[in-house]
Amino acid sequence: MADMPQVNAEFGSSPVIEFPEGAAPQGLKVVELTEGDGPMVRKRDTVTVNYHGVVWGKNKPFDSSFDRHQPASFGIGVGQVIRGWDQSVPGHNVGSRLVVSIPPEYGYGSRGVPQAGIGGGDTLVFVIDIIATR
């Protein structure tokens, strides 16, 4: 996908994101950089992931479990996380690295999260390594 950021594909490596020229793509976009060979994530699973989140076009993450060296676990497809995650993570296998572009309507909407530096209307980009699912 030409309009998606370029990200190093190696599962487990600290994400490096390079943005293309121009605006963020419309809608929710998912690119599987590395396909894992573990079990497939299904809606209502509890997933364990490492993730790195940035606002489109910025380098500094607003949140990164890679930086904390502490993966996160949560229910997927059940409204515990933003819709962009609920709709993009299920269907991928453990061991996969995804890059996801999440428009505001699938993220934090017109309010954003000002304390995290996320403006209303910002498109978010996450690099997600799927570590486990149960």
Side-chain angles (χ1 to χ4, degrees):
M1 252 191 244
D3 55 354
M4 285 291 282
Q6 295 298 305
V7 178
N8 52 322
E10 186 188 344
F11 185 89
S13 62
S14 204
V16 178
I17 301 173
E18 289 179 34
F19 287 94
E21 294 294 317
Q26 295 296 305
L28 182 65
K29 299 278 191 280
V30 184
V31 176
E32 189 173 71
L33 299 170
T34 303
E35 183 180 355
D37 56 8
M40 183 185 284
V41 176
R42 301 186 189 288
K43 283 191 187 302
R44 292 185 284 287
D45 280 3
T46 297
V47 294
T48 301
V49 297
N50 259 323
Y51 64 89
H52 186 79
V54 298
V55 170
W56 183 275
K58 300 212 168 110
N59 288 323
K60 186 175 177 336
F62 56 80
D63 193 8
S64 177
S65 68
F66 285 96
D67 291 355
R68 289 193 300 274
H69 305 289
Q70 184 67 52
S73 297
F74 43 78
I76 197 74
V78 293
Q80 287 188 17
V81 290
I82 59 175
R83 272 178 62 205
W85 277 66
D86 276 348
Q87 295 192 6
S88 61
V89 174
H92 293 279
N93 295 352
V94 169
S96 296
R97 171 168 277 199
L98 313 177
V99 58
V100 185
S101 175
I102 301 178
E105 62 269 23
Y106 289 92
Y108 295 104
S110 58
R111 291 187 312 277
V113 184
Q115 64 272 27
I118 301 169
D122 279 351
T123 293
L124 310 178
V125 174
F126 284 94
V127 178
I128 303 169
D129 282 1
I130 303 171
I131 297 170
T133 191
R134 56 182 164 78

